Amino acid sequence: MNQLWPLYHKEIPQFLQEFANTPPMLRLKRVGMNCGCEYTQFPLFQNLASYSRYDHSLGVALIVWHFTGSVEQSVAGLFHDVTTPVFAHVVDFLNGDHLRQESTESGVAECLASSAEVCALLEKYGVTVKDVSDYHRYGVADNDAPALSADRLEYTLGNLLNYGFADAAQLRAFYEDLTVGQDETGKAELVFRTPKAASAFARLALRTAKVYVADEDRFAMEALAGLLRQALKRGVLLPADLLTTEAEVIEKLRRDAVCAAAWERFCGFAHILRSEERPADGVWLRVDAKRRWIDPLAQGKGRVSQWDEGFRKELRAFRETDFSCWLSAES
């Protein structure tokens, strides 16, 4: 999904090229954005373009650079996912934290400080680990949901294109309508200049949010977390393996007969089964979900939900989505 990088900024500045070429960042080229769902046969995730955490992270950095011109903020955006484990938020399911999805965010400062390559570049550009290890400090890079930040903007635009919900011209129109404004507390936030763009973006972002909590997505992530839990218990994987790459972890799973069979079943999932009551036979999971959405600001109008009744109704319905049914899958 690096075809969006030129939209975010016409060129990648030299300092970002150098930081992006360090070992902690290069690992992210083999950690996906779709949390393992792309390995299944569910139609929802078929024919997706490759979209890695590296693609996303460099995209975030370019957006931050475009709107702030700050080296510190841009590098913080670049490194925000540097400790993301294999299959990303699946490990939050593994850790019992999938409703907050914060268990995989720690350790950024330690990761950067332990890289000689990163430390050399930080010294070269006159910034510290503290300056770049917590992107939450910078409003354009990150802010509290449902505000719009570079992080949420990048994965929303990337997924809109990847899912086929919007074309490149629509994404460019959204991006060119953005500027830096202030939220209700005075913190920097990306805001739309025009209500029309803000409303259209909010609706399309909500469409991607529905994919993130779809039955296929929830079942796949919980099922893959169970597979990883089994592999860790059997000693097929060590906790440290989760911070390598997906290719390496999959290879280890395939070397073990039990885990190899479970991985093949996972990869064969193609159809979701649903039941109001838990059936006696088979593997059935009831999986709640983190509901994430974006309610952007339009200059002079406030958040879209405050003045767009249609979006407000759509958002209310989404927030009230019932996830109580039991799920299973078959090939």
Side-chain angles (χ1 to χ4, degrees), residues 91-252:
V91 177
D92 289 317
F93 281 73
L94 177 67
N95 295 338
D97 184 50
H98 71 281
L99 295 183
R100 293 193 308 164
Q101 298 186 356
E102 296 174 354
S103 71
T104 55
E105 294 182 357
S106 62
V108 173
E110 294 81 359
C111 175
L112 300 182
S114 67
S115 169
E117 295 88 348
V118 169
C119 289
L121 289 173
L122 292 175
E123 183 176 359
K124 175 180 177 179
Y125 288 102
V127 294
T128 67
V129 169
K130 184 178 179 180
D131 292 331
V132 301
S133 60
D134 183 10
Y135 83 136
H136 302 299
R137 298 172 56 190
Y138 306 117
V140 170
D142 185 58
N143 45 39
D144 293 333
L148 181 60
S149 64
D151 183 16
R152 293 189 191 94
L153 176 64
E154 202 295 318
Y155 70 65
T156 300
L157 295 182
N159 284 324
L160 286 174
L161 186 62
N162 214 3
Y163 297 149
F165 295 166
D167 60 26
Q170 290 173 288
L171 303 190
R172 178 170 294 279
F174 287 142
Y175 196 73
E176 293 179 349
D177 199 73
L178 289 167
T179 188
V180 178
Q182 293 183 332
D183 69 7
E184 296 83 351
T185 68
K187 186 177 182 180
E189 180 179 343
L190 293 175
V191 304
F192 285 96
R193 293 184 175 91
T194 63
K196 181 179 179 181
S199 180
F201 176 85
R203 281 180 160 81
L204 283 173
L206 190 58
R207 190 175 177 189
T208 66
K210 293 174 182 177
V211 175
Y212 307 152
V213 300
D215 291 346
E216 294 87 343
D217 186 284
R218 288 157 40 237
F219 181 85
M221 292 177 73
E222 183 64 46
L224 185 50
L227 196 166
L228 295 179
R229 189 175 296 112
Q230 179 187 46
L232 289 165
K233 184 177 180 180
R234 289 172 52 80
V236 175
L237 295 178
L238 299 176
D241 292 324
L242 300 179
L243 287 174
T244 59
T245 68
E246 290 172 10
E248 291 172 278
V249 166
I250 291 168
E251 179 60 28
K252 288 193 173 186

